[in-house]
């Protein structure tokens, strides 16, 4: 990455940091929600499914504005968290929250499809032997669905790396603090002579995204082979 300026380097590192935290923090609830949608039968299931996929339908700017209303210092959630030193608006932690919410539907969908592909009779057989629902999920469902979990996590990471609309609306575009790769590219394109810096970051973004997709395919296949015992 020789040739990158300090601002460009900061944007790359912050994007990697934000995407990694967004993926890690959204994975546990993503597993739970995906399993709930794949196996659960309860009133309001369609509503939950719609809410999960809402960030894919809404304009990202709308999502960012809703986050600002809720998690801003004057918002209902933000006002409760601020006395504990937890602030999201205009902080890198807010970029993590925005990226996690925007990437969550992709993660849940990939994991859900993988869980639905698991034969329910295997889970039922384990349950008849006395295993509880949590143990069945950990020992039967999760190992068999692991390729989808890996693919979902990596796709979520790639989506978080490219998140722009919700991020810039919720945490602005502060160099060194909240400026990620997409917002840095946008900033460089607004100033004369910034095209070279924007192009360097575009190349880095493309390389990271393609690498993530390739890694997703490779890891998913390796895990699938290991699970099947081949």
């Amino acid at each position: 990455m020789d040739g990158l300026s300090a601002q460009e380097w900061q944007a790359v590192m912050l994007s990697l940091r934000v995407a990694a935290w967004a993926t890690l923090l959204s994975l546990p609830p993503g597993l739970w929600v995906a399993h709930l949608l794949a196996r659960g039968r309860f009133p309001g299931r369609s509503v939950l499914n719609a809410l999960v996929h809402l960030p894919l339908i809404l304009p990202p700017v709308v999502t960012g504005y809703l986050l600002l209303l809720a998690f801003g210092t004057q918002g209902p959630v933000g006002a409760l968290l601020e006395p504990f030193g937890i602030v999201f608006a205009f902080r890198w932690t807010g970029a993590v929250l925005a990226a996690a919410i925007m990437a969550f539907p992709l993660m849940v969908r990939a994991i859900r499809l993988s869980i639905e592909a698991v034969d329910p009779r295997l889970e039922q057989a384990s349950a008849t032997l006395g295993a509880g629902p949590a143990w069945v999920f950990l020992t039967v469902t999760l190992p068999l669905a692991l390729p989808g979990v890996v693919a979902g996590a990596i796709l979520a990471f790639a989506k978080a790396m490219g998140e722009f609309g919700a991020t810039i609306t919720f945490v602005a575009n502060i160099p060194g603090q909240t400026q990620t790769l997409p917002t840095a590219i946008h900033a460089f394109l607004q100033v004369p002579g910034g095209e070279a810096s924007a192009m360097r970051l575009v190349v880095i973004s493309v390389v990271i995204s393609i690498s993530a997709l390739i890694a997703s395919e490779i890891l998913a296949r390796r895990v699938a082979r290991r699970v099947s015992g081949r």
Side-chain angles (χ1 to χ4, degrees):
M1 292 192 180
D2 294 337
L4 292 181
S5 67
Q7 184 178 350
E8 294 166 9
W9 178 253
Q10 287 175 341
V12 172
M13 296 307 295
L14 182 61
S15 288
L16 291 171
R17 183 184 185 188
V18 166
W21 275 108
T23 304
L24 288 174
L25 293 176
S26 58
L27 186 55
L31 282 168
W32 179 69
V33 172
H35 184 260
L36 199 60
L37 291 174
R39 293 289 190 251
R41 296 294 181 269
F42 54 91
R45 182 171 173 270
S46 299
V47 175
L48 176 61
N49 186 54
L51 288 175
V52 168
H53 291 87
L54 196 58
L56 291 179
I57 302 171
L58 287 176
V61 174
V62 173
T63 302
Y65 182 62
L66 293 175
L67 286 174
L68 189 60
L69 291 178
F71 290 91
T73 55
Q74 304 301 317
V77 181
L80 290 174
L81 296 177
E82 189 176 16
F84 300 98
I86 303 175
V87 179
F88 288 102
F90 309 109
R91 302 284 181 87
W92 76 272
T93 50
V96 171
L97 179 60
I101 289 176
M102 295 302 296
F104 193 71
L106 294 178
M107 175 185 288
V108 169
R109 182 166 182 80
I111 298 175
R112 176 186 175 181
L113 291 174
S114 188
I115 291 175
E116 288 177 343
V118 175
D119 191 344
R121 291 174 296 182
L122 297 175
E123 299 169 327
Q124 294 167 4
S126 181
T128 57
L129 295 175
W135 189 247
V136 171
F137 175 75
L138 291 174
T139 59
V140 178
T141 311
L142 184 58
L144 293 175
L146 201 54
V149 175
V150 173
I154 296 179
L155 287 174
F157 178 86
K159 172 62 177 176
M161 281 288 299
E163 169 49 35
F164 174 75
T167 300
I168 199 171
T169 306
F170 185 36
V171 299
N173 188 11
I174 308 171
Q177 297 184 42
T178 65
Q179 188 175 78
T180 58
L181 267 172
T183 57
I185 292 171
H186 174 76
F188 282 125
L189 290 175
Q190 305 307 307
V191 298
E195 291 83 2
S197 295
M199 181 55 67
R200 284 194 292 269
L201 294 182
V202 166
V203 171
I204 292 173
S205 298
V206 171
V207 169
I208 292 175
S209 298
I210 293 177
S211 299
L213 291 174
I214 294 174
S216 174
E217 289 294 325
I218 293 174
L219 287 174
R221 289 177 183 175
R222 287 183 178 179
V223 171
R225 285 198 298 268
R226 185 171 299 179
V227 169
S228 63
R230 291 180 293 179

